[in-house]
Amino acid sequence: MCYKGVHMTTMKMMVKYRCVVCNYIYDPEKGDPDNGIQPGTSFDELPDSWVCPVCGVDKNSFERLRENDEVVTRPSERSEY
């Protein structure tokens, strides 16, 4: 199957996820290199042992962002966690 000339089997969705505790955004295009996660790693490909690098909660505390969602509060701008 093709979508806009790209075979769906080779198309990788790079969906961002937000931590509901501290608002950290996991961006698969950036990965989490400080914790051994290479750029290009989708959220679904993260190991079960991965935790939020800001507040330490597990993957179950993340919500998928819609394409047009904007980040209102970034972790680096927050004064407490």
Side-chain angles (χ1 to χ4, degrees), residues 9-63:
T9 55
T10 61
M11 192 168 136
K12 191 174 186 179
M13 295 299 293
M14 290 287 135
V15 178
K16 295 178 183 178
Y17 281 76
R18 176 186 6 230
C19 176
V20 298
V21 174
C22 72
N23 285 330
Y24 168 80
I25 302 297
Y26 176 75
D27 183 347
E29 291 183 11
K30 296 178 183 176
D32 182 12
D34 292 342
N35 292 298
I37 306 299
Q38 298 299 314
T41 303
S42 72
F43 189 81
D44 292 334
E45 295 173 322
L46 292 172
D48 291 336
S49 59
W50 183 83
V51 296
C52 176
V54 175
C55 70
V57 297
D58 65 23
K59 290 171 49 175
N60 292 324
S61 295
F62 279 74
E63 63 184 3

